[in-house]
Amino acid sequence: MKPNSPFFIKLLIIQCLSVLSVSQDFDFFYFVQQWPGSYCDTEQSCCYPTTGKPASVFGIHGLWPNYNDGSYPSNCDPDSPFDQSQISDLISSLQKSWPTLACPSGNGSKFWSHEWDKHGTCSESVLDQHGYFEATLDLKKKANLLHALQSAGIQPDGESYSLNSIKAAIKDAIGFTPYIECNVGQSGNSQLYQIYLCVDTSGSNIIECPVLPRGRCGSSIEFPSF
Ligand code: 5GP
Ligand code: 5GP
């Protein structure tokens, strides 16, 4: 086939189109929750939202589309900016379950907007803006992490717990093994910062993780109070 034949050019266009559409796809989500006590117990500290101190429970960080090879798409659609009017019915639930702890204090819209623009726009083929935030709030109801840990005697009391006991408590209560992310507290201690569960591409079913993020915790992990 001559490289400039019409057939060759058509083939090239079809290939380009399929690469473009496949690259917008994703394989699964990470559903990430954060422990407020660990976010706050770092050198930068934290600021409570304008709506008040969040409850002493895990808060949502985000729902992140990911690929099976560990890489992930981000900021996929600049033409679909965060629009709070599309989720006005969800605001009070978001304030409760997806509070912002970044400084300066905010009402949460900046955090939700960042998460939508960076991650949500990469799963728009499955979930529109309302669907994305609704699915994330529903996942939090399915995965009560504090309850899971407390059922195994793991409390936010400033004590340290083994990584394996934390993973086992969540596997027992929720049925799937989480990925645990630690941060480093003010006194150099490894502490329980974020818990990742994996979710299928519909955004509604928790699954075993196809791949885990990199990083590690110490074998003994502090669970700070909040
Ligand atoms: P860090 O570098 O602090 O771990 O992550 C910074 C940001 O990068 C996160 O808040 C999140 O938006 C994004 N990110 C980090 N790791 C992953 C990952 O494995 N998958 C996805 N989808 N996003 C990630
Ligand atoms: P990642 O999810 O998408 O890129 O990173 C989180 C971004 O959201 C950071 O820019 C961070 O300043 C902002 N942010 C606002 N509130 C919070 C919060 O409560 N926790 C975390 N981890 N990030 C927050």
Side-chain angles (χ1 to χ4, degrees):
M1 191 184 356
K2 286 197 197 115
N4 58 356
S5 77
F7 179 73
F8 182 83
I9 289 169
K10 253 191 222 159
L11 202 69
L12 208 66
I13 290 172
I14 289 167
Q15 269 175 347
C16 286
L17 285 175
S18 73
V19 165
L20 278 178
S21 70
V22 164
S23 69
Q24 288 299 306
D25 244 325
F26 65 103
D27 297 321
F28 69 97
F29 289 105
Y30 284 128
F31 171 52
V32 184
Q33 299 188 59
Q34 62 179 355
W35 179 246
S38 300
Y39 185 93
C40 290
D41 181 27
T42 58
E43 278 164 54
Q44 306 98 306
S45 193
C46 70
C47 293
Y48 295 157
T50 49
T51 43
K53 182 183 176 179
S56 179
V57 296
F58 283 83
I60 297 169
H61 182 160
L63 184 66
W64 304 343
N66 228 79
Y67 299 119
N68 285 336
D69 69 1
S71 68
Y72 58 90
S74 62
N75 297 98
C76 296
D77 186 3
D79 297 328
S80 173
F82 179 70
D83 171 12
Q84 192 153 312
S85 70
Q86 292 181 29
I87 53 167
S88 48
D89 59 318
L90 303 176
I91 297 302
S92 68
S93 301
L94 289 169
Q95 285 171 344
K96 240 190 263 160
S97 300
W98 200 332
T100 179
L101 289 165
C103 296
S105 290
N107 61 10
S109 358
K110 236 178 124 181
F111 190 21
W112 308 326
S113 165
H114 169 88
E115 292 298 312
W116 168 257
D117 293 343
K118 181 169 178 181
H119 300 283
T121 56
C122 300
S123 49
E124 268 181 308
S125 56
V126 187
L127 294 168
D128 64 10
Q129 212 168 123
H130 190 274
Y132 177 78
F133 285 98
E134 194 172 44
T136 312
L137 289 166
D138 286 345
L139 285 167
K140 176 146 191 313
K141 289 184 212 145
K142 286 191 193 170
N144 186 333
L145 296 177
L146 188 60
H147 184 257
L149 293 170
Q150 286 178 328
S151 302
I154 299 171
Q155 311 275 3
D157 54 6
E159 296 295 316
S160 289
Y161 299 90
S162 77
L163 177 58
N164 285 338
S165 68
I166 292 170
K167 283 194 201 163
I170 291 165
K171 165 99 184 170
D172 285 351
I174 293 167
F176 299 94
T177 307
Y179 170 76
I180 306 297
E181 180 185 353
C182 293
N183 67 1
V184 177
Q186 272 168 358
S187 43
N189 45 324
S190 174
Q191 57 188 15
L192 180 57
Y193 172 41
Q194 301 201 111
I195 299 186
Y196 295 56
L197 290 164
C198 290
V199 173
D200 70 6
T201 50
S202 73
S204 48
N205 304 301
I206 301 172
I207 56 170
E208 282 299 337
C209 285
V211 61
L212 297 175
R214 258 167 291 161
R216 68 196 121 92
C217 297
S219 53
S220 172
I221 300 165
E222 185 191 333
F223 194 3
S225 61
F226 181 72

